[in-house]
Amino acid sequence: MRPTETALQLTIFIEECDTWQHKPLFTEIVHRAHAFGLAGATVLRGVEGFGASSVMHGFRLLSIKQDLPLAIVIVDEEERVRRFLPTLRELIDEGLVIVQNVEVMRCEDQGPAQSREHA
């Protein structure tokens, strides 16, 4: 087993139709995380969900506007994540941001020789 290290995970719950200055909010968050130098960010699209408003959001076959729930996941060192939080406060009017301690095990490409040794 590879050694683990501790980090912080941000999970940001917003809606697909949320915008920042006429651009998708999720795009702005990911681009700012990248410019900030964070380790990575992933946007996950939910099939259906609801939040504090109790309004159901989900895929509707006959709807032109899709308002699916999104989760943006960012993991990095605690200090770096905490320095990024004010950026989120600036961008997000409605949504939920979860900050939690996590253990990270890095699984990096070991090359063909070492990848065969896991028997």
Side-chain angles (χ1 to χ4, degrees), residues 18-99:
D18 291 342
T19 60
W20 170 259
Q21 297 182 352
H22 310 291
K23 295 184 290 188
L25 177 58
F26 67 90
T27 299
E28 185 67 19
I29 292 170
V30 170
H31 284 236
R32 288 208 189 183
H34 184 260
F36 199 82
L38 293 176
T42 301
V43 179
L44 306 168
R45 180 182 283 166
V47 175
E48 190 164 47
F50 68 94
S53 68
S54 293
V55 174
M56 292 297 291
H57 301 277
F59 178 77
R60 302 292 176 256
L61 189 59
L62 300 176
S63 178
I64 294 172
K65 176 186 163 198
Q66 293 299 329
D67 192 15
L68 296 173
L70 299 178
I72 304 165
V73 180
I74 299 170
V75 179
D76 206 329
E77 298 170 355
E78 180 174 358
E79 181 183 322
R80 297 167 59 82
V81 169
R82 294 212 182 272
R83 285 197 327 256
F84 186 68
L85 287 174
T87 300
L88 294 179
R89 287 188 186 99
E90 173 189 339
L91 294 174
I92 299 174
D93 291 330
E94 290 185 52
L96 177 66
V97 178
I98 297 173
V99 181

Side-chain angles (χ1 to χ4, degrees), residues 96-116:
L96 177 66
V97 178
I98 297 173
V99 181
Q100 62 191 60
N101 292 308
V102 294
E103 287 188 25
V104 176
M105 182 181 79
R106 298 190 187 274
C107 300
E108 298 169 347
D109 186 10
Q110 301 292 316
Q114 290 186 6
S115 66
R116 286 181 252 148

